[in-house]
Amino acid sequence: MFGKILIANRGEIACRIIRTARKLGVRTVAVYSDADAQALHVEMADEAMHIGASPVGESYLRGDKIIAAAKAAGAEAIHPGYGFLSENPDFVDQVVAAGLVFIGPSAASIRAMGLKDAAKRLMEKAGVPVVPGYHGEAQEIVLLASKAREIGYPVLIKARAGGGGKGMRRVEHPDDFSEALSGARREAKAAFGDDRVLVEKYVDKPRHIEVQVFGDNFGNAVHLYERDCSAQRRHQKVIEEAPAPGMTAALRKAMTEAAVKAAKAIHYSGAGTIEFIVDASQGLKADRFWFMEMNTRLQVEHPVTEMVTGIDLVEWQLKVATGEKLPKTQSEIQLSGHAFEARLYAEDAAKGFLPATGTLHHLKFPDAAPEGASMRIETGVRAGDAISPFYDPMIAKLVVHGKDRQAALEALGTALSQTEIAGSTVNTAFLAALATDADFAAGDVDTGLIGRHQEKLTAVPPPSGETIAAAALAASGAGAQAQSDDPWSALAGYAHFHTIAQRTRLRYGEDDILARVSVRPDGRFEVVLDQFSTGSAAPHPPAGTFSPYSDGEKGEAWGQRPRLARWPGHVTVFEGAIGYSFAVPDPLARAEEAVAASGSLRAPMPGLVKLVRAAKGEAVIKGQPLLILEAMKMEHTISAPHDGVIAEIAAEGTQVTDGTVLVRFAEQAHD
């Protein structure tokens, strides 16, 4: 076994690798950028080396700096994690040339599977079924459009390099092909440095089912069964599970045999995943699956496989990289129970899953799994850490295991309802809604499920009167107890003459809320909500009086003690998986609020102005694309919210922060 390894990654996967290395007695070296100087993976590792500025191109993608750090630290091997340089064959060559071991497959294997078009041609030769489509080298738009017509619409344009949904566009009609191709190419170039694409038939009811494979340097290869990753938004996975719901014995046999055949065809060593697209329109059948791509690395969702097989995949990676044979034969690898993984992201589900930033002022995960289930939390952040615009906005992976799918799904719902995050917009409520969706719960899932149910899944009910009252009491500062996280459980103190009610102002979205907090004769607090003053059309709870432990005569009682978090200028009250965040305005700062009115369009997230499609003085109509903002390697189109004339527009190449004015409109449109 290695004595010391360097982990060429960050966040939760770096922390995950450190835990297994520590278990095996292997010392670890972390690397970090400027933004990650105080990160959790830096704290956990035995040593840490600074490798550059915050942008990935100046740090985590600098293979020369990473190799230099490994040699300086005396590491024997480099573990790439996933993403960044994990599937870069040139980096593998450089690691080997430096006399170090790359904990992963050979450069030749990565090259064989690294480009989707070449990989599919290779799989066809190996007898593995592939999706009908064009996987050739020619990239002229006329040819690609012609191939799309031959394949038949709808088609899917996909970057031939990389993954994660980047550089991918679904096209329904020939008239939309050119625009979709341009967007896919730009996004692929930004994410992978390669703008070449392939065109495939779009499967009407696609299931994304992948098989975990593992090989060694002695020609052995096994599978560790399948995972279902069909629950996706923007072509990116949000909840994964193992085994796949509805999996038949015939399909499992055909799919796992094809996966092992694919791994052996390229003499694969280490952990890898063979991804298949499955046509589920007529149920899962053994002749309706096709090879999609291979990920020549550890997957984000690998914990669900570990949960149902009891195998530590990182431990296997380290053992195989040291020259050992696979620890188990195929017959020794058994399935047990069911597992789910939910990805907790800093993102706004209600706004099309826009990535978010912010400081995690409050971060609390469940203390334990429900009875009869097990749970693990994979995270690379702590309370007080910031979600940076430079990297993927994942906060954590919540992984649960139960005796069957129903038990595991119930454990997932319970765990999500007990997760508390405040300081950034997060997707916890969306995940909980998805876990309880009737189709998902029944296992009737495909890659279009979230899109079909998106409005329902992302809708958040308005806060109840009890929730608002709890926030008002916590924000009021009425009595010393109200400064704590548990003001309602304590007496305010005896008062012969009761104090005048203290007025407290909150803001929830566009709603201004006024509340009066006073002390009851029994010494407890009482909250009276006045009517809202509002700019929204959302339904509001009625004004009323709320008192904890009331006898019902003087007000409504809280049924249970509210969960909340106080953070600078805000209070967040948690109801199940929903976190209702209320701003607590500073009266002295009210004059500075919202200077820019509807005459401007602001950046919804930090990013780079990639492309500008309008000019100063141009008359535009509502819905017209004005510019493209690139954030976290994904493109987001910013469209005109109304008709108008452009008075000012950001320049291409401008780096903007959340809230930066991108477009200003003239007061009136010219005729």
Side-chain angles (χ1 to χ4, degrees):
M1 183 54 64
F2 301 115
K4 181 188 290 187
I5 64 171
L6 180 140
I7 302 166
N9 218 296
R10 63 177 301 279
E12 58 88 14
I13 186 57
C15 297
R16 161 75 187 89
I17 295 165
I18 290 169
R19 285 194 295 272
T20 289
R22 184 179 295 160
K23 179 181 70 175
L24 298 175
V26 178
R27 292 180 60 80
T28 54
V29 181
V31 292
Y32 64 92
S33 67
D34 289 347
D36 282 339
Q38 305 300 319
L40 180 59
H41 75 281
V42 174
E43 177 184 299
M44 288 180 62
D46 297 297
E47 303 172 42
M49 309 281 285
H50 178 254
I51 54 170
S54 301
V56 293
E58 299 176 42
S59 50
Y60 296 106
L61 290 180
R62 287 290 302 271
D64 56 337
K65 290 186 175 182
I66 290 170
I67 292 171
K71 292 180 74 68
E76 303 155 67
I78 293 178
H79 195 306
Y82 55 72
F84 295 142
L85 295 169
S86 63
E87 294 181 281
N88 186 319
D90 294 335
F91 177 64
V92 178
D93 285 336
Q94 293 163 7
V95 170
V96 174
L100 302 170
V101 175
F102 181 78
I103 302 174
S106 67
S109 293
I110 295 175
R111 287 191 174 97
M113 290 296 197
L115 299 177
K116 296 182 180 69
D117 51 358
K120 290 182 178 182
R121 292 194 295 270
L122 177 62
M123 290 299 99
E124 283 181 307
K125 291 180 181 179
V128 177
V130 301
V131 182
Y134 173 71
H135 309 130
E137 291 286 343
Q139 293 288 299
E140 293 80 6
I141 185 172
V142 174
L143 174 66
L144 294 176
S146 174
K147 293 296 183 182
R149 287 191 178 90
E150 290 178 14
I151 296 166
Y153 285 88
V155 298
L156 196 63
I157 300 173
K158 298 173 65 175
R160 73 169 195 162
K166 300 177 179 67
M168 185 181 293
R169 296 290 189 278
R170 176 181 175 176
V171 190
E172 298 283 351
H173 192 274
D175 292 344
D176 301 325
F177 187 83
S178 178
E179 179 75 10
L181 178 63
S182 297
R185 281 175 164 168
R186 281 194 309 271
E187 201 167 86
K189 184 69 174 179
F192 317 120
D194 185 343
D195 66 356
R196 286 170 287 185
V197 301
L198 49 85
V199 183
E200 293 180 342
K201 176 65 179 174
Y202 185 85
V203 180
D204 288 329
K205 190 175 182 181
R207 288 271 295 273
H208 181 147
I209 302 177
E210 59 190 32
V211 176
Q212 177 72 59
V213 294
F214 221 108
D216 61 22
N217 295 311
F218 300 90
N220 301 308
V222 297
H223 70 81
L224 289 87
Y225 299 96
E226 80 281 353
R227 298 184 289 257
D228 193 303
C229 306
S230 301
Q232 302 178 7
R233 87 286 186 263
R234 295 202 320 257
H235 303 293
Q236 292 181 307
K237 306 163 189 175
V238 290
I239 294 182
E240 302 96 350
E241 60 181 300
M247 176 59 71
T248 65
L251 178 57
R252 175 173 289 149
K253 182 176 185 295
M255 188 176 286
T256 54
E257 286 179 353
V260 172
K261 184 185 297 184
K264 287 185 174 181
I266 58 171
H267 310 290
Y268 195 79
S269 177
T273 301
I274 309 296
E275 300 194 354
F276 295 102
I277 195 78
V278 182
D279 182 354
S281 59
Q282 299 178 14
L284 298 182
K285 296 185 176 180
D287 62 348
R288 303 296 290 170
F289 76 96
W290 301 280
F291 171 85
M292 189 165 57
E293 63 184 8
M294 181 178 188
N295 289 305
T296 52
R297 53 169 168 79
L298 198 66
Q299 288 281 87
V300 178
E301 59 272 19
H302 76 274
V304 294
T305 294
E306 295 183 323
M307 291 289 240
V308 295
T309 62
I311 293 171
D312 185 331
L313 294 179
V314 175
E315 180 177 338
W316 276 33
Q317 284 186 300
L318 295 175
K319 288 182 175 180
V320 167
T322 61
E324 295 184 28
K325 290 185 177 181
L326 290 177
K328 290 188 176 184
T329 63
Q330 188 66 69
S331 63
E332 295 174 313
I333 303 170
Q334 300 296 319
L335 273 176
S336 176
H338 202 98
F340 284 96
E341 174 184 286
R343 303 188 189 188
L344 300 174
Y345 279 104
E347 65 181 14
D348 193 336
K351 294 183 179 179
F353 303 101
L354 284 177
T357 56
T359 299
L360 301 175
H361 291 285
H362 179 81
L363 182 64
K364 182 181 179 183
F365 298 113
D367 295 326
E371 185 177 355
S374 58
M375 177 182 65
R376 56 193 263 195
I377 305 296
E378 301 284 347
T379 186
V381 296
R382 301 149 297 190
D385 286 349
I387 301 299
S388 166
F390 296 105
Y391 315 118
D392 186 271
M394 182 187 289
I395 295 172
K397 300 182 307 192
L398 196 158
V399 191
V400 296
H401 178 271
K403 64 180 181 179
D404 53 31
R405 190 174 190 270
Q406 181 61 33
L409 193 57
E410 290 175 0
L412 177 65
T414 299
L416 287 167
S417 71
Q418 295 175 354
T419 297
E420 301 175 4
I421 305 173
S424 176
T425 303
V426 293
N427 69 337
T428 317
F430 160 74
L431 293 172
L434 178 58
T436 57
D437 176 84
D439 288 343
F440 186 85
D444 184 15
V445 59
D446 61 82
T447 59
L449 182 143
I450 290 176
R452 292 193 301 273
H453 299 183
Q454 186 165 329
E455 184 175 352
K456 179 185 71 173
L457 294 174
T458 58
V460 176
S464 65
E466 290 86 350
T467 296
I468 299 170
L473 178 56
S476 69
Q481 294 85 358
Q483 298 296 331
S484 74
D485 282 349
D486 187 19
W488 31 82
S489 65
L491 291 168
Y494 173 79
H496 186 68
F497 295 103
H498 296 293
T499 57
I500 297 175
Q502 179 176 333
R503 295 176 66 84
T504 297
R505 178 172 174 261
L506 300 172
R507 188 166 181 83
Y508 180 76
E510 300 177 15
D511 296 334
D512 282 312
I513 305 166
L514 294 178
R516 288 175 287 134
V517 180
S518 58
V519 182
R520 287 176 31 173
D522 63 4
R524 299 188 187 278
F525 291 115
E526 181 175 84
V527 182
V528 178
L529 298 181
D530 292 330
Q531 293 289 346
F532 286 68
S533 61
T534 177
S536 77
H540 305 129
T545 301
F546 301 87
S547 300
Y549 314 120
S550 165
D551 58 9
E553 295 179 358
K554 296 186 178 181
E556 300 179 39
W558 279 291
Q560 61 183 20
R561 181 177 300 171
R563 299 177 294 140
L564 67 80
R566 296 168 57 91
W567 47 289
H570 296 79
V571 172
T572 298
V573 181
F574 300 98
E575 286 189 7
I578 303 174
Y580 292 101
S581 290
F582 299 84
V584 184
D586 179 354
L588 299 178
R590 291 183 63 183
E592 301 177 9
E593 290 182 351
V595 176
S598 60
S600 63
L601 190 60
R602 296 177 179 271
M605 76 202 91
L608 176 72
V609 178
K610 189 72 173 181
L611 184 67
V612 175
R613 294 184 169 182
K616 182 178 180 179
E618 180 180 345
V620 297
I621 61 174
K622 181 178 179 180
Q624 179 177 333
L626 302 181
L627 52 82
I628 291 177
L629 187 68
E630 181 186 86
M632 293 155 180
K633 300 300 182 184
M634 297 288 285
E635 290 188 354
H636 306 270
T637 299
I638 306 298
S639 301
H642 49 69
D643 296 351
V645 174
I646 303 294
E648 185 179 342
I649 190 165
E652 287 185 12
T654 303
Q655 189 75 42
V656 298
T657 59
D658 186 11
T660 298
V661 174
L662 298 174
V663 182
R664 292 190 189 278
F665 295 94
E667 291 187 6
Q668 294 182 345
H670 299 298
D671 295 330

